[in-house]
Amino acid sequence: MASGMEHLCPAPMKATSNGIFQGDNPLDFALPLAILQICLVLVVTRGLAFLLRPLRQPRVIAEIIGGILLGPSALGRNKAYLNAVFPPKSITVLDTLANIGLLFFLFLVGLELDLKSLRQSGKKVLGIAVAGISLPFALGIGSSFILRETIAKGVNAPSFLVFMGVALSITAFPVLARILAELKLLTTNVGRMAMSAAAVNDVAAWILLALAIALSGDNLSPAVPLWVFLSGCGFVIGASLIVPPIFKWMSRRCHEGEPVDEMYICGTLAAVLAAGFVTDIIGIHAMFGAFVIGVLVPKEGPFAGVLVEKVEDLVSGLFLPLYFVSSGLKTNVATIQGIQSWGLLALVIFTACLGKIVGTFIVSLLWRIPKREALALGFLMNSKGLVELIVLNIGKDRKVLNDQIFAIMVLMALFTTFITTPLVLAVYKPAEKARKSDYKHRRVERKNPNTQLRILACFHSSWNIPSIINLLEASRGTERGERLSVYAMHLMEFSERPSAILMVHKARHNGLPFWNKGQRSANHVVVAFEAFQQLSQVSVRPMTSISSFTDMHEDICITAERKDIAIIILPYHKNLRLDGSFESTRPDFHLVNKRVLEHASCSVGIFVDRGLGGSAQISASNVSFSITVLFFGGRDDREALAYGARMAEHPGVELTVIRFLLESDSSEEIVRIDTVSPTLVSADEEFLADFRTSISKDSSIKYEEKNVRNVSETITIIHDYSRCSLFVVGRMPNGVVAVVLSQRIDCPELGPIGSFLTSPKFSTTASVLVVQQYYDQSYSISSQQMV
């Protein structure tokens, strides 16, 4: 036995080499080899994730495939590569690093699970979760009898039955959240039910896995599994009594907007490792302790968010991919040979899908959930992922699963997760909705200005809010007719990070769904909008868009379509600095704004905030704004003037309209430009005639016409009005002066005038609202017929 062990165990590797110049091969030493392995894993998994992005697959798919490709199934067939990059003597170090990553990742998964929401999940969700566990578990046990008769002879029967049952009944909660976000289902009923059911499923799966591990020991004494299980239960009860009061005390001492004491972070991470050590001593995996600590950390306040921020990037970016490679090195697809093995793979996939989809579908129908939603729920609950791999790896390490069954089960997990997105898309498409024919008011300019104005106001962070509320207050108009209706949408990025799921929980629990990581408390946002609603008697409905930057514009445009919005107001992607210039802090929002301008089915305004009304919300009686509309001509300018006229109805608003007219003896600078089409001129004249008639008795509105010969005269006139509170301008004005200005354009989405007003050359404290009018030929004709 001793000689066999000597033969199996290579000499331990030294940590660092002396370098190639002193004759050392760096790959014979632990540290350089581990660095090479980590870099290789990152390149392969991130590269695959990039390639799979068009298929809308979660990153875990790329990581599982990457692990398999680096292992003996693909590249590992070349023995020289396998012995150089992943030699047997390096596997212990690799597995240790991977398990440290897994330990802290499971702590993050525990942080994502909110026990309060599980308790409040209701009978419907509980029914769906139980069906999603029990039927696949029963089918897993059934299929394990067939496997034991064929390719798994001689394995420990009780532990094999439980492992197969657990492996088939798992739903990967983190993976599911990312699929839901990708498909824009996070905030739908299906999304909520799937997330809650998966969370219940997750907790049940961990309990069953603890049981499976307790049963899978080498000791033949029946008392040992019982002691392991009872000790595990004792650990959970003890931790539940001791840990929460300590964490609550820490959480109370952490305040929003203030840095969290490093001692608390360090103490928590040490507690995670200590809990892992205790559960490892008991004989259930070290990750259980980490998971339990994560669950027991209070989710209220900034403490949980800061913990996630500190841990997530290093763990999920660097260490966790090693676990997929560690798993991939044990997966050899070549062991699945012959018709019998491939038939068993098909059987396992069929039973896994049948149990999850049919179980969830039938129970959903019993709760009177529509068929399409019930089917979508079944497909969503069928997604596997990291948790599945953990179960399989523990089974492999405990000699419960042999190489062939392990490979079959890994391929099953990969296949079931891969098909989730396309299957859900095939049966359930809430985001795609036909354009509504009765959607009358797609813009502010209309024949009857007394109709209700519906605005979708978007913001990224809480510092946008006072100015946006002040703009909405000014947009309120008078009390006559139907009032203003506002939808306030918080734009939040959903990433592959664990904190994104924590963000979803917080967004749900705040009553009004707002939360912004790293900013002031969401409650400030809630209070601000509630106060505005009560004081101004304006209907305000808060919403949240949680999606990646690449498709955030879809959320905005679809919401505008559904809610019959007349104008979307987007914040400018640059922030004002103390010296009055703008700096781009989140360039991703620049892309969002451009796409909304391109795809929106209503008018769009981009709000460049220079502190409209100061840094606080102004009450209606204290509003005192002077607003200037610069009118050159064209549909965007008409929309800007229609918005300005609406604002002028507010008793605290003074409106000045400057119309620029070109003198006949224009300079050469302008003569070279083509003249404007007569149709647009006549539309402008008709609109202005109506406007001048309507304001004849209103002393708060001034209308002035300015004759200009060139651009410099235009700029001089604009400078005269730089002391106003707000400029409202069209994005693409007509007229030759605007065309010449457009040759100096810095920011295409602001247009020539908006770009000039926000450039460093123009000194002002006035905010700017740049408006683009919705234009569609069919809409234009139908609205004329309607009028």
Side-chain angles (χ1 to χ4, degrees):
M1 182 72 185
S3 62
M5 286 297 290
E6 281 167 24
H7 177 70
L8 286 171
C9 297
M13 298 175 85
K14 283 186 181 176
T16 54
S17 74
N18 294 318
I20 52 171
F21 296 112
Q22 293 189 40
D24 281 355
N25 178 2
L27 297 186
D28 290 338
F29 296 83
L31 181 66
L33 185 57
I35 291 169
L36 176 69
Q37 289 169 343
I38 291 169
C39 293
L40 183 64
V41 171
L42 290 180
V43 168
V44 171
T45 54
R46 293 293 170 146
L48 280 168
F50 179 76
L51 293 174
L52 289 171
R53 194 177 292 163
L55 299 175
R56 305 177 83 169
Q57 292 296 337
R59 197 168 77 202
V60 70
I61 291 283
E63 288 169 332
I64 294 173
I65 294 172
I68 293 170
L69 290 179
L70 290 170
S73 301
L75 294 173
R77 288 176 178 241
N78 181 336
K79 295 298 174 203
Y81 148 83
L82 201 62
N83 290 326
V85 182
F86 294 105
K89 59 186 174 180
S90 76
I91 299 301
T92 306
V93 175
L94 181 72
D95 279 354
T96 305
L97 285 173
N99 276 291
I100 288 172
L102 182 68
L103 197 77
F104 282 108
F105 185 77
L106 265 293
F107 167 64
L108 294 177
V109 171
L111 272 175
E112 290 169 4
L113 276 177
D114 192 346
L115 288 180
K116 279 186 185 172
S117 64
L118 288 191
R119 290 190 204 112
Q120 297 160 4
S121 53
K123 292 178 183 175
K124 187 190 290 186
V125 167
L126 206 61
I128 292 166
V130 169
I133 298 168
S134 51
L135 187 58
F137 194 85
L139 288 172
I141 289 173
S143 59
S144 68
F145 283 112
I146 298 168
L147 291 169
R148 280 192 72 225
E149 291 301 316
T150 49
I151 55 173
K153 290 175 182 173
V155 295
N156 181 350
S159 53
F160 183 61
L161 296 183
V162 180
F163 262 102
M164 285 300 295
V166 173
L168 263 64
S169 61
I170 275 173
T171 296
F173 176 70
V175 176
L176 179 72
R178 272 147 196 93
I179 291 172
L180 288 170
E182 184 64 50
L183 300 179
K184 305 253 172 261
L185 298 176
L186 264 176
T187 49
T188 61
N189 281 335
V190 168
R192 287 192 196 99
M193 282 191 284
M195 283 275 281
S196 302
V200 175
N201 193 311
D202 228 18
V203 173
W206 289 117
I207 294 165
L208 289 170
L209 182 56
L211 178 68
I213 291 172
L215 290 171
S216 65
D218 295 329
N219 200 309
L220 298 174
S221 166
V224 172
L226 183 65
W227 276 115
V228 171
F229 193 69
L230 289 175
S231 302
C233 292
F235 166 76
V236 172
I237 293 163
S240 306
L241 295 172
I242 298 164
V243 173
I246 299 168
F247 281 135
K248 279 177 184 167
W249 177 79
M250 286 182 184
S251 190
R252 276 198 300 271
R253 295 174 69 92
C254 301
H255 304 290
E256 289 283 0
E258 294 178 16
V260 173
D261 193 330
E262 185 206 1
M263 197 63 153
Y264 299 158
I265 303 290
C266 196
T268 306
L269 299 184
V272 170
L273 292 170
F277 180 70
V278 171
T279 48
D280 199 79
I281 289 173
I282 290 169
I284 49 180
H285 201 285
M287 65 181 181
F288 276 102
F291 176 74
V292 169
I293 297 292
V295 170
L296 295 175
V297 171
K299 309 302 182 278
E300 298 82 21
F303 186 55
V306 171
L307 272 174
V308 171
E309 271 183 53
K310 299 282 185 191
V311 177
E312 67 180 344
D313 287 340
L314 185 68
V315 168
S316 57
L318 210 59
F319 286 125
L320 198 65
L322 293 179
Y323 192 80
F324 291 97
V325 173
S326 170
S327 176
L329 289 171
K330 298 172 195 165
T331 311
N332 190 354
V333 178
T335 57
I336 307 173
Q337 290 176 332
I339 295 171
Q340 186 192 49
S341 292
W342 287 103
L344 289 169
L345 171 64
L347 173 76
V348 168
I349 289 172
F350 176 74
T351 50
C353 295
L354 181 78
K356 274 286 179 193
I357 297 166
V358 172
T360 307
F361 179 69
I362 291 169
V363 172
S364 301
L365 287 183
L366 292 175
W367 282 103
R368 296 184 181 171
I369 294 170
K371 281 183 187 174
R372 276 175 178 266
E373 287 190 16
L375 204 54
L377 263 175
F379 292 144
L380 286 165
M381 296 297 284
N382 196 32
S383 58
K384 303 278 191 280
L386 177 67
V387 185
E388 178 79 3
L389 280 193
I390 294 168
V391 173
L392 299 179
N393 275 287
I394 293 171
K396 179 88 164 59
D397 294 340
R398 300 272 172 137
K399 308 280 190 298
V400 175
L401 306 178
N402 62 28
D403 288 355
Q404 197 171 344
I405 291 176
F406 183 77
I408 284 173
M409 298 302 285
V410 168
L411 290 184
M412 178 274 290
L414 189 64
F415 180 79
T416 52
T417 309
F418 194 88
I419 61 169
T420 300
T421 303
L423 285 177
V424 174
L425 278 175
V427 299
Y428 189 72
K429 298 177 184 175
E432 289 181 19
K433 200 172 182 180
R435 179 165 286 189
K436 293 193 270 189
S437 55
D438 60 342
Y439 181 0
K440 298 173 189 174
H441 301 303
R442 294 176 183 270
R443 52 199 192 194
V444 182
E445 183 196 344
R446 53 189 75 164
K447 286 290 180 187
N448 180 7
N450 292 334
T451 49
Q452 186 185 56
L453 178 65
R454 288 173 165 250
I455 297 177
L456 176 62
C458 303
F459 61 95
H460 334 129
S461 61
S462 51
W463 68 265
N464 295 141
I465 290 165
S467 295
I468 284 180
I469 288 181
N470 292 336
L471 177 69
L472 294 172
E473 170 59 41
S475 312
R476 186 161 60 91
T478 60
E479 295 300 326
R480 74 171 190 272
E482 292 177 72
R483 294 172 307 180
L484 178 70
S485 177
V486 175
Y487 292 84
M489 180 179 269
H490 193 177
L491 305 177
M492 299 162 87
E493 183 197 4
F494 190 93
S495 64
E496 288 280 352
R497 295 169 159 198
S499 56
I501 299 175
L502 205 63
M503 181 175 77
V504 176
H505 283 315
K506 289 218 176 191
R508 293 224 183 107
H509 289 318
N510 274 337
L512 296 180
F514 286 114
W515 182 63
N516 197 22
K517 190 172 86 173
Q519 300 291 341
R520 289 180 301 167
S521 166
N523 296 331
H524 289 87
V525 180
V526 177
V527 169
F529 277 102
E530 279 182 345
F532 173 58
Q533 180 163 337
Q534 286 163 7
L535 291 170
S536 301
Q537 296 181 335
V538 169
S539 162
V540 182
R541 285 162 213 175
M543 340 177 72
T544 309
S545 160
I546 304 175
S547 53
S548 61
F549 284 121
T550 48
D551 50 10
M552 194 175 276
H553 68 283
E554 289 176 19
D555 279 9
I556 298 168
C557 295
I558 289 162
T559 303
E561 182 84 34
R562 283 183 182 162
K563 305 294 182 187
D564 296 353
I565 299 297
I567 184 165
I568 299 166
I569 294 177
L570 299 165
Y572 187 42
H573 70 280
K574 293 182 180 179
N575 292 341
L576 187 69
R577 286 164 52 171
L578 290 171
D579 62 0
S581 63
F582 286 93
E583 65 173 346
S584 183
T585 49
R586 296 299 297 272
D588 307 289
F589 283 113
H590 185 205
L591 190 63
V592 173
N593 288 359
K594 283 169 77 173
R595 286 177 172 166
V596 172
L597 284 166
E598 207 175 306
H599 299 288
S601 56
C602 62
S603 294
V604 180
I606 293 182
F607 181 49
V608 183
D609 179 21
R610 283 195 178 103
L612 179 65
S615 60
Q617 181 184 335
I618 300 176
S619 63
S621 57
N622 293 336
V623 168
S624 177
F625 295 150
S626 59
I627 295 173
T628 305
V629 175
L630 305 177
F631 191 93
F632 292 87
R635 66 174 70 93
D636 288 357
D637 277 21
R638 292 199 298 275
E639 188 76 350
L641 182 48
Y643 199 116
R646 175 94 188 190
M647 289 172 148
E649 294 176 8
H650 194 291
V653 169
E654 287 188 357
L655 177 69
T656 306
V657 181
I658 312 296
R659 187 188 184 192
F660 292 89
L661 293 167
L662 188 66
E663 282 190 3
S664 53
D665 57 336
S666 337
S667 69
E668 288 180 16
E669 177 188 12
I670 284 178
V671 168
R672 290 197 296 271
I673 313 292
D674 294 335
T675 53
V676 186
S677 75
T679 332
L680 290 169
V681 172
S682 63
D684 288 345
E685 295 298 342
E686 188 185 330
F687 178 76
L688 284 169
D690 288 347
F691 172 71
R692 291 169 75 178
T693 308
S694 67
I695 65 162
S696 54
K697 294 176 184 175
D698 193 337
S699 59
S700 67
I701 301 177
K702 293 177 192 165
Y703 174 81
E704 298 174 25
E705 291 187 348
K706 303 281 184 182
N707 290 309
V708 291
R709 285 174 295 182
N710 52 39
V711 172
S712 58
E713 283 188 12
T714 309
I715 290 170
T716 305
I717 291 167
I718 295 172
H719 268 291
D720 294 342
Y721 293 90
S722 62
R723 290 178 175 273
C724 69
S725 312
L726 176 70
F727 281 105
V728 184
V729 297
R731 179 172 171 250
M732 285 297 165
N734 288 320
V736 286
V737 175
V739 173
V740 173
L741 268 174
S742 69
Q743 293 168 2
R744 316 173 184 184
I745 201 162
D746 295 323
C747 194
E749 70 269 23
L750 295 183
I753 311 300
S755 284
F756 170 68
L757 292 173
T758 53
S759 69
K761 298 171 193 170
F762 185 70
S763 176
T764 182
T765 55
S767 297
V768 183
L769 181 65
V770 181
V771 179
Q772 171 184 281
Q773 186 180 69
Y774 170 72
Y775 180 73
D776 179 55
Q777 196 68 40
S778 59
Y779 167 74
S780 187
I781 293 164
S782 66
S783 61
Q784 283 169 15
Q785 289 169 347
M786 185 182 74
V787 170

